[in-house]
């Protein structure tokens, strides 16, 4: 899908995406809640790659290098965040897990910019259709935004 889109000019890519991924652009919490994305939402949608996960399949693990963030269009994904609490000696005293079930059309996949790894893990709890935006594509989208808009977008994805 992505390779075919790359063969088209950017304006034509956006026309195709406006037709084929309109439900993602119009229904995604991310596009609605992050004002900065409204201006480049169609371009971002051209960067998304569809990936299908079956119930019980791991999407990614805590600490893995990131492959991007995801927008869920069908199914459900359980996102678990590990919260390490350090004491004065910087040794982990205990870990607690917080779970969040993501449903359509939500997004997930935060990562640590400092450590370049995942700060959560995700598993499909139902057969799921996920649209992934790679790190490289995300930075390409950021280049098309103003500095203020890019900062708002990054704040939602990076920790």
């Amino acid at each position: 899908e992505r390779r075919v889109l790359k063969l088209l000019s950017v304006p034509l890519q956006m026309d195709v995406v406006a037709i084929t991924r309109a439900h993602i652009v119009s229904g995604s919490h991310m596009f609605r809640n992050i004002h900065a994305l409204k201006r480049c939402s169609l371009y971002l949608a051209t960067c998304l790659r569809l990936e299908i996960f079956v119930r019980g399949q791991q999407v990614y693990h805590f600490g893995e290098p990131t492959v991007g963030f995801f927008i869920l269009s069908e199914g459900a994904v359980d996102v678990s965040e590990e919260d390490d609490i350090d004491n004065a000696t910087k040794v982990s005293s205990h870990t607690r897990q917080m779970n969040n079930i993501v449903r359509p059309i939500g997004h997930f996949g935060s990562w640590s910019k400092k450590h370049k790894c995942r700060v959560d893990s995700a598993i499909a709890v139902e057969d799921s259709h996920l649209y992934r935006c790679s790190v490289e594509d995300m930075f390409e989208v950021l280049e098309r935004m103003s500095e203020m808009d890019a900062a708002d977008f990054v704040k939602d994805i990076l920790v």
Side-chain angles (χ1 to χ4, degrees):
E1 181 182 49
R2 175 79 170 147
R3 287 186 197 140
V4 172
L5 277 176
K6 284 285 191 184
L7 296 174
L8 306 173
S9 67
V10 172
L12 192 52
Q13 286 181 36
M14 289 195 238
D15 288 343
V16 169
V17 165
I19 296 167
T20 61
R21 297 181 182 166
H23 67 291
I24 298 294
V25 174
S26 66
S28 172
H29 304 300
M30 179 191 305
F31 290 112
R32 282 195 314 253
N33 297 338
I34 304 173
H35 180 71
L37 280 180
K38 291 180 183 168
R39 288 188 283 279
C40 65
S41 60
L42 285 179
Y43 181 76
L44 174 59
T46 67
C47 299
L48 301 175
R49 294 173 179 87
L50 176 63
E51 296 183 7
I52 299 172
F53 291 84
V54 296
R55 184 173 55 97
Q57 186 176 359
Q58 191 81 39
V59 178
Y60 57 80
H61 295 89
F62 177 81
E64 285 183 339
T66 187
V67 293
F69 69 89
F70 296 88
I71 297 174
L72 177 69
S73 67
E74 292 180 33
V77 174
D78 182 6
V79 179
S80 301
E81 295 180 21
E82 293 187 14
D83 183 19
D84 288 333
I85 300 173
D86 296 342
N87 60 22
T89 62
K90 302 292 182 195
V91 176
S92 180
S93 56
H94 71 279
T95 300
R96 95 186 144 186
Q97 239 182 18
M98 298 170 283
N99 290 40
N100 179 29
I101 301 292
V102 178
R103 299 221 177 256
I105 292 182
H107 69 281
F108 64 95
S110 298
W111 67 85
S112 166
K113 188 175 181 181
K114 178 181 176 185
H115 300 292
K116 307 248 188 288
C117 69
R118 290 287 178 190
V119 295
D120 55 13
S121 64
I123 189 167
V125 293
E126 297 174 8
D127 293 348
S128 300
H129 290 195
L130 305 175
Y131 284 91
R132 178 175 60 90
C133 181
S134 71
V135 176
E136 297 81 18
D137 287 337
M138 187 199 77
F139 285 115
E140 210 173 290
V141 170
L142 290 174
E143 288 176 9
R144 294 175 177 268
M145 297 177 162
S146 70
E147 280 187 37
M148 185 182 291
D149 287 348
D152 288 343
F153 178 52
V154 168
K155 186 172 49 179
D156 197 53
I157 301 297
L158 299 180
V159 291

